[in-house]
PDB file of all heavy atoms in Angstrom:
ATOM      1  N   GLU A 152     -18.690  -9.682 -27.471  1.00 93.00           N
ATOM      2  CA  GLU A 152     -19.304 -10.731 -26.656  1.00 93.00           C
ATOM      3  C   GLU A 152     -18.277 -11.727 -26.570  1.00 93.00           C
ATOM      4  O   GLU A 152     -17.763 -12.306 -27.510  1.00 93.00           O
ATOM      5  CB  GLU A 152     -20.579 -11.307 -27.314  1.00 93.00           C
ATOM      6  CG  GLU A 152     -21.119 -12.372 -26.559  1.00 93.00           C
ATOM      7  CD  GLU A 152     -22.499 -12.912 -27.002  1.00 93.00           C
ATOM      8  OE1 GLU A 152     -23.112 -12.216 -27.779  1.00 93.00           O
ATOM      9  OE2 GLU A 152     -22.863 -14.031 -26.517  1.00 93.00           O
ATOM     10  N   CYS A 153     -17.901 -12.056 -25.323  1.00 92.00           N
ATOM     11  CA  CYS A 153     -16.835 -13.076 -25.100  1.00 92.00           C
ATOM     12  C   CYS A 153     -17.491 -14.215 -24.371  1.00 92.00           C
ATOM     13  O   CYS A 153     -17.624 -14.386 -23.179  1.00 92.00           O
ATOM     14  CB  CYS A 153     -15.791 -12.435 -24.025  1.00 92.00           C
ATOM     15  SG  CYS A 153     -14.466 -13.618 -23.657  1.00 92.00           S
ATOM     16  N   PRO A 154     -17.622 -15.343 -25.287  1.00 91.00           N
ATOM     17  CA  PRO A 154     -18.410 -16.511 -24.686  1.00 91.00           C
ATOM     18  C   PRO A 154     -17.365 -17.425 -23.888  1.00 91.00           C
ATOM     19  O   PRO A 154     -16.085 -17.186 -24.148  1.00 91.00           O
ATOM     20  CB  PRO A 154     -18.854 -17.301 -25.922  1.00 91.00           C
ATOM     21  CG  PRO A 154     -18.148 -16.667 -27.095  1.00 91.00           C
ATOM     22  CD  PRO A 154     -17.438 -15.482 -26.646  1.00 91.00           C
ATOM     23  N   PRO A 155     -17.867 -18.256 -23.010  1.00 89.00           N
ATOM     24  CA  PRO A 155     -16.887 -19.116 -22.307  1.00 89.00           C
ATOM     25  C   PRO A 155     -16.230 -20.150 -23.163  1.00 89.00           C
ATOM     26  O   PRO A 155     -16.752 -20.401 -24.337  1.00 89.00           O
ATOM     27  CB  PRO A 155     -17.725 -19.712 -21.217  1.00 89.00           C
ATOM     28  CG  PRO A 155     -19.165 -19.719 -21.721  1.00 89.00           C
ATOM     29  CD  PRO A 155     -19.191 -18.530 -22.619  1.00 89.00           C
ATOM     30  N   ALA A 156     -15.188 -20.759 -22.687  1.00 86.00           N
ATOM     31  CA  ALA A 156     -14.431 -21.881 -23.499  1.00 86.00           C
ATOM     32  C   ALA A 156     -15.323 -22.955 -23.731  1.00 86.00           C
ATOM     33  O   ALA A 156     -15.252 -23.832 -24.687  1.00 86.00           O
ATOM     34  CB  ALA A 156     -13.235 -22.312 -22.790  1.00 86.00           C
ATOM     35  N   THR A 157     -16.433 -23.213 -22.836  1.00 90.00           N
ATOM     36  CA  THR A 157     -17.300 -24.314 -23.074  1.00 90.00           C
ATOM     37  C   THR A 157     -18.503 -24.065 -23.988  1.00 90.00           C
ATOM     38  O   THR A 157     -19.261 -24.889 -24.185  1.00 90.00           O
ATOM     39  CB  THR A 157     -17.981 -24.603 -21.652  1.00 90.00           C
ATOM     40  OG1 THR A 157     -18.551 -23.389 -21.220  1.00 90.00           O
ATOM     41  CG2 THR A 157     -16.941 -25.133 -20.659  1.00 90.00           C
ATOM     42  N   ALA A 158     -18.384 -22.862 -24.714  1.00 93.00           N
ATOM     43  CA  ALA A 158     -19.453 -22.467 -25.548  1.00 93.00           C
ATOM     44  C   ALA A 158     -19.671 -23.410 -26.734  1.00 93.00           C
ATOM     45  O   ALA A 158     -18.667 -23.950 -27.308  1.00 93.00           O
ATOM     46  CB  ALA A 158     -19.397 -21.140 -26.132  1.00 93.00           C
ATOM     47  N   GLU A 159     -20.872 -23.774 -27.087  1.00 95.00           N
ATOM     48  CA  GLU A 159     -21.113 -24.649 -28.364  1.00 95.00           C
ATOM     49  C   GLU A 159     -20.787 -23.740 -29.581  1.00 95.00           C
ATOM     50  O   GLU A 159     -20.796 -22.469 -29.488  1.00 95.00           O
ATOM     51  CB  GLU A 159     -22.628 -24.875 -28.404  1.00 95.00           C
ATOM     52  CG  GLU A 159     -23.127 -25.517 -27.199  1.00 95.00           C
ATOM     53  CD  GLU A 159     -23.142 -26.989 -27.302  1.00 95.00           C
ATOM     54  OE1 GLU A 159     -23.519 -27.566 -28.524  1.00 95.00           O
ATOM     55  OE2 GLU A 159     -22.717 -27.650 -26.353  1.00 95.00           O
ATOM     56  N   ARG A 160     -20.562 -24.321 -30.681  1.00 97.00           N
ATOM     57  CA  ARG A 160     -20.160 -23.566 -31.938  1.00 97.00           C
ATOM     58  C   ARG A 160     -21.286 -22.557 -32.277  1.00 97.00           C
ATOM     59  O   ARG A 160     -20.950 -21.535 -32.682  1.00 97.00           O
ATOM     60  CB  ARG A 160     -20.015 -24.566 -33.064  1.00 97.00           C
ATOM     61  CG  ARG A 160     -19.368 -23.846 -34.225  1.00 97.00           C
ATOM     62  CD  ARG A 160     -18.875 -24.689 -35.357  1.00 97.00           C
ATOM     63  NE  ARG A 160     -18.014 -23.989 -36.263  1.00 97.00           N
ATOM     64  CZ  ARG A 160     -18.638 -23.165 -37.218  1.00 97.00           C
ATOM     65  NH1 ARG A 160     -19.827 -22.837 -37.271  1.00 97.00           N
ATOM     66  NH2 ARG A 160     -17.793 -22.496 -38.102  1.00 97.00           N
ATOM     67  N   ARG A 161     -22.551 -22.985 -32.087  1.00 97.00           N
ATOM     68  CA  ARG A 161     -23.602 -22.030 -32.369  1.00 97.00           C
ATOM     69  C   ARG A 161     -23.574 -20.762 -31.592  1.00 97.00           C
ATOM     70  O   ARG A 161     -23.803 -19.707 -32.089  1.00 97.00           O
ATOM     71  CB  ARG A 161     -24.962 -22.874 -32.009  1.00 97.00           C
ATOM     72  CG  ARG A 161     -26.146 -22.397 -33.008  1.00 97.00           C
ATOM     73  CD  ARG A 161     -27.366 -23.106 -32.450  1.00 97.00           C
ATOM     74  NE  ARG A 161     -28.175 -22.191 -31.820  1.00 97.00           N
ATOM     75  CZ  ARG A 161     -29.185 -21.605 -32.376  1.00 97.00           C
ATOM     76  NH1 ARG A 161     -29.491 -21.920 -33.652  1.00 97.00           N
ATOM     77  NH2 ARG A 161     -29.961 -20.707 -31.768  1.00 97.00           N
ATOM     78  N   GLU A 162     -23.209 -20.872 -30.327  1.00 94.00           N
ATOM     79  CA  GLU A 162     -23.052 -19.753 -29.400  1.00 94.00           C
ATOM     80  C   GLU A 162     -21.816 -18.896 -29.846  1.00 94.00           C
ATOM     81  O   GLU A 162     -21.901 -17.701 -29.841  1.00 94.00           O
ATOM     82  CB  GLU A 162     -22.824 -20.326 -27.960  1.00 94.00           C
ATOM     83  CG  GLU A 162     -23.057 -19.293 -26.899  1.00 94.00           C
ATOM     84  CD  GLU A 162     -22.847 -19.939 -25.458  1.00 94.00           C
ATOM     85  OE1 GLU A 162     -22.886 -21.135 -25.382  1.00 94.00           O
ATOM     86  OE2 GLU A 162     -22.551 -19.128 -24.529  1.00 94.00           O
ATOM     87  N   LEU A 163     -20.709 -19.698 -30.194  1.00 96.00           N
ATOM     88  CA  LEU A 163     -19.574 -18.860 -30.615  1.00 96.00           C
ATOM     89  C   LEU A 163     -19.854 -18.057 -31.923  1.00 96.00           C
ATOM     90  O   LEU A 163     -19.417 -16.947 -32.024  1.00 96.00           O
ATOM     91  CB  LEU A 163     -18.380 -19.922 -31.023  1.00 96.00           C
ATOM     92  CG  LEU A 163     -17.635 -20.507 -29.775  1.00 96.00           C
ATOM     93  CD1 LEU A 163     -16.614 -21.478 -30.443  1.00 96.00           C
ATOM     94  CD2 LEU A 163     -16.978 -19.546 -28.990  1.00 96.00           C
ATOM     95  N   GLU A 164     -20.656 -18.663 -32.797  1.00 97.00           N
ATOM     96  CA  GLU A 164     -20.926 -18.042 -34.075  1.00 97.00           C
ATOM     97  C   GLU A 164     -21.790 -16.796 -33.865  1.00 97.00           C
ATOM     98  O   GLU A 164     -21.596 -15.753 -34.401  1.00 97.00           O
ATOM     99  CB  GLU A 164     -21.700 -19.052 -34.998  1.00 97.00           C
ATOM    100  CG  GLU A 164     -21.938 -18.505 -36.397  1.00 97.00           C
ATOM    101  CD  GLU A 164     -22.442 -19.537 -37.276  1.00 97.00           C
ATOM    102  OE1 GLU A 164     -22.777 -20.674 -36.865  1.00 97.00           O
ATOM    103  OE2 GLU A 164     -22.483 -19.224 -38.570  1.00 97.00           O
ATOM    104  N   ARG A 165     -22.784 -16.969 -32.954  1.00 96.00           N
ATOM    105  CA  ARG A 165     -23.650 -15.808 -32.658  1.00 96.00           C
ATOM    106  C   ARG A 165     -22.846 -14.661 -32.032  1.00 96.00           C
ATOM    107  O   ARG A 165     -23.012 -13.468 -32.236  1.00 96.00           O
ATOM    108  CB  ARG A 165     -24.743 -16.283 -31.643  1.00 96.00           C
ATOM    109  CG  ARG A 165     -26.141 -15.364 -31.804  1.00 96.00           C
ATOM    110  CD  ARG A 165     -27.180 -16.022 -31.167  1.00 96.00           C
ATOM    111  NE  ARG A 165     -26.764 -16.662 -29.858  1.00 96.00           N
ATOM    112  CZ  ARG A 165     -27.357 -17.755 -29.269  1.00 96.00           C
ATOM    113  NH1 ARG A 165     -28.377 -18.251 -29.827  1.00 96.00           N
ATOM    114  NH2 ARG A 165     -26.822 -18.236 -28.099  1.00 96.00           N
ATOM    115  N   ALA A 166     -21.834 -15.050 -31.144  1.00 95.00           N
ATOM    116  CA  ALA A 166     -20.955 -14.025 -30.514  1.00 95.00           C
ATOM    117  C   ALA A 166     -20.166 -13.356 -31.549  1.00 95.00           C
ATOM    118  O   ALA A 166     -19.907 -12.157 -31.462  1.00 95.00           O
ATOM    119  CB  ALA A 166     -20.077 -14.685 -29.458  1.00 95.00           C
ATOM    120  N   VAL A 167     -19.639 -14.030 -32.559  1.00 97.00           N
ATOM    121  CA  VAL A 167     -18.917 -13.465 -33.631  1.00 97.00           C
ATOM    122  C   VAL A 167     -19.731 -12.392 -34.407  1.00 97.00           C
ATOM    123  O   VAL A 167     -19.416 -11.290 -34.706  1.00 97.00           O
ATOM    124  CB  VAL A 167     -18.244 -14.488 -34.649  1.00 97.00           C
ATOM    125  CG1 VAL A 167     -17.814 -13.847 -35.947  1.00 97.00           C
ATOM    126  CG2 VAL A 167     -17.077 -15.193 -33.862  1.00 97.00           C
ATOM    127  N   GLU A 168     -21.051 -12.929 -34.707  1.00 97.00           N
ATOM    128  CA  GLU A 168     -21.871 -12.037 -35.500  1.00 97.00           C
ATOM    129  C   GLU A 168     -22.168 -10.748 -34.684  1.00 97.00           C
ATOM    130  O   GLU A 168     -22.085  -9.704 -35.162  1.00 97.00           O
ATOM    131  CB  GLU A 168     -23.174 -12.767 -35.715  1.00 97.00           C
ATOM    132  CG  GLU A 168     -23.124 -13.806 -36.804  1.00 97.00           C
ATOM    133  CD  GLU A 168     -24.268 -14.752 -36.829  1.00 97.00           C
ATOM    134  OE1 GLU A 168     -25.227 -14.595 -36.103  1.00 97.00           O
ATOM    135  OE2 GLU A 168     -24.193 -15.798 -37.572  1.00 97.00           O
ATOM    136  N   ARG A 169     -22.485 -10.832 -33.356  1.00 96.00           N
ATOM    137  CA  ARG A 169     -22.758  -9.667 -32.589  1.00 96.00           C
ATOM    138  C   ARG A 169     -21.547  -8.796 -32.437  1.00 96.00           C
ATOM    139  O   ARG A 169     -21.588  -7.629 -32.524  1.00 96.00           O
ATOM    140  CB  ARG A 169     -23.255 -10.159 -31.202  1.00 96.00           C
ATOM    141  CG  ARG A 169     -24.655 -10.631 -31.110  1.00 96.00           C
ATOM    142  CD  ARG A 169     -25.096 -10.461 -29.646  1.00 96.00           C
ATOM    143  NE  ARG A 169     -26.475 -11.000 -29.559  1.00 96.00           N
ATOM    144  CZ  ARG A 169     -26.880 -12.163 -28.988  1.00 96.00           C
ATOM    145  NH1 ARG A 169     -25.888 -12.950 -28.445  1.00 96.00           N
ATOM    146  NH2 ARG A 169     -28.104 -12.513 -28.901  1.00 96.00           N
ATOM    147  N   THR A 170     -20.435  -9.528 -32.226  1.00 97.00           N
ATOM    148  CA  THR A 170     -19.095  -8.734 -32.094  1.00 97.00           C
ATOM    149  C   THR A 170     -18.875  -7.904 -33.194  1.00 97.00           C
ATOM    150  O   THR A 170     -18.452  -6.716 -33.181  1.00 97.00           O
ATOM    151  CB  THR A 170     -17.955  -9.735 -31.711  1.00 97.00           C
ATOM    152  OG1 THR A 170     -18.235 -10.211 -30.454  1.00 97.00           O
ATOM    153  CG2 THR A 170     -16.640  -9.029 -31.663  1.00 97.00           C
ATOM    154  N   THR A 171     -19.124  -8.442 -34.498  1.00 98.00           N
ATOM    155  CA  THR A 171     -18.965  -7.711 -35.700  1.00 98.00           C
ATOM    156  C   THR A 171     -19.933  -6.501 -35.815  1.00 98.00           C
ATOM    157  O   THR A 171     -19.481  -5.338 -36.061  1.00 98.00           O
ATOM    158  CB  THR A 171     -19.060  -8.504 -36.945  1.00 98.00           C
ATOM    159  OG1 THR A 171     -18.054  -9.579 -36.887  1.00 98.00           O
ATOM    160  CG2 THR A 171     -18.968  -7.770 -38.235  1.00 98.00           C
ATOM    161  N   ARG A 172     -21.254  -6.823 -35.489  1.00 98.00           N
ATOM    162  CA  ARG A 172     -22.310  -5.833 -35.629  1.00 98.00           C
ATOM    163  C   ARG A 172     -21.907  -4.637 -34.576  1.00 98.00           C
ATOM    164  O   ARG A 172     -21.941  -3.450 -34.950  1.00 98.00           O
ATOM    165  CB  ARG A 172     -23.556  -6.389 -35.330  1.00 98.00           C
ATOM    166  CG  ARG A 172     -24.707  -5.463 -35.685  1.00 98.00           C
ATOM    167  CD  ARG A 172     -26.088  -6.095 -35.492  1.00 98.00           C
ATOM    168  NE  ARG A 172     -26.195  -7.484 -35.983  1.00 98.00           N
ATOM    169  CZ  ARG A 172     -26.415  -8.620 -35.201  1.00 98.00           C
ATOM    170  NH1 ARG A 172     -26.667  -8.438 -34.018  1.00 98.00           N
ATOM    171  NH2 ARG A 172     -26.365  -9.760 -35.803  1.00 98.00           N
ATOM    172  N   TRP A 173     -21.595  -5.085 -33.369  1.00 97.00           N
ATOM    173  CA  TRP A 173     -21.279  -4.086 -32.345  1.00 97.00           C
ATOM    174  C   TRP A 173     -19.954  -3.283 -32.589  1.00 97.00           C
ATOM    175  O   TRP A 173     -19.880  -2.123 -32.380  1.00 97.00           O
ATOM    176  CB  TRP A 173     -21.091  -4.731 -30.978  1.00 97.00           C
ATOM    177  CG  TRP A 173     -22.450  -5.304 -30.522  1.00 97.00           C
ATOM    178  CD1 TRP A 173     -23.670  -5.167 -31.019  1.00 97.00           C
ATOM    179  CD2 TRP A 173     -22.624  -6.087 -29.329  1.00 97.00           C
ATOM    180  NE1 TRP A 173     -24.635  -5.862 -30.274  1.00 97.00           N
ATOM    181  CE2 TRP A 173     -24.008  -6.399 -29.190  1.00 97.00           C
ATOM    182  CE3 TRP A 173     -21.692  -6.651 -28.317  1.00 97.00           C
ATOM    183  CZ2 TRP A 173     -24.421  -7.226 -28.111  1.00 97.00           C
ATOM    184  CZ3 TRP A 173     -22.213  -7.443 -27.279  1.00 97.00           C
ATOM    185  CH2 TRP A 173     -23.561  -7.689 -27.222  1.00 97.00           C
ATOM    186  N   ALA A 174     -18.991  -3.959 -33.236  1.00 98.00           N
ATOM    187  CA  ALA A 174     -17.789  -3.296 -33.645  1.00 98.00           C
ATOM    188  C   ALA A 174     -18.062  -2.165 -34.653  1.00 98.00           C
ATOM    189  O   ALA A 174     -17.605  -1.010 -34.587  1.00 98.00           O
ATOM    190  CB  ALA A 174     -16.695  -4.269 -34.140  1.00 98.00           C
ATOM    191  N   ALA A 175     -18.943  -2.529 -35.698  1.00 98.00           N
ATOM    192  CA  ALA A 175     -19.311  -1.486 -36.724  1.00 98.00           C
ATOM    193  C   ALA A 175     -20.040  -0.435 -36.116  1.00 98.00           C
ATOM    194  O   ALA A 175     -19.757   0.851 -36.370  1.00 98.00           O
ATOM    195  CB  ALA A 175     -20.147  -2.240 -37.797  1.00 98.00           C
ATOM    196  N   ALA A 176     -20.877  -0.680 -35.071  1.00 98.00           N
ATOM    197  CA  ALA A 176     -21.601   0.431 -34.468  1.00 98.00           C
ATOM    198  C   ALA A 176     -20.627   1.235 -33.646  1.00 98.00           C
ATOM    199  O   ALA A 176     -20.810   2.464 -33.561  1.00 98.00           O
ATOM    200  CB  ALA A 176     -22.704  -0.221 -33.556  1.00 98.00           C
TER     201      ALA A 176
END
Side-chain angles (χ1 to χ4, degrees):
Chain A
E152 178 171 349
C153 178
T157 53
E159 306 267 314
R160 192 171 189 286
R161 213 183 107 95
E162 194 180 343
L163 284 178
E164 187 172 6
R165 205 166 42 208
V167 165
E168 284 164 8
R169 281 200 183 107
T170 295
T171 296
R172 192 178 315 122
W173 292 353

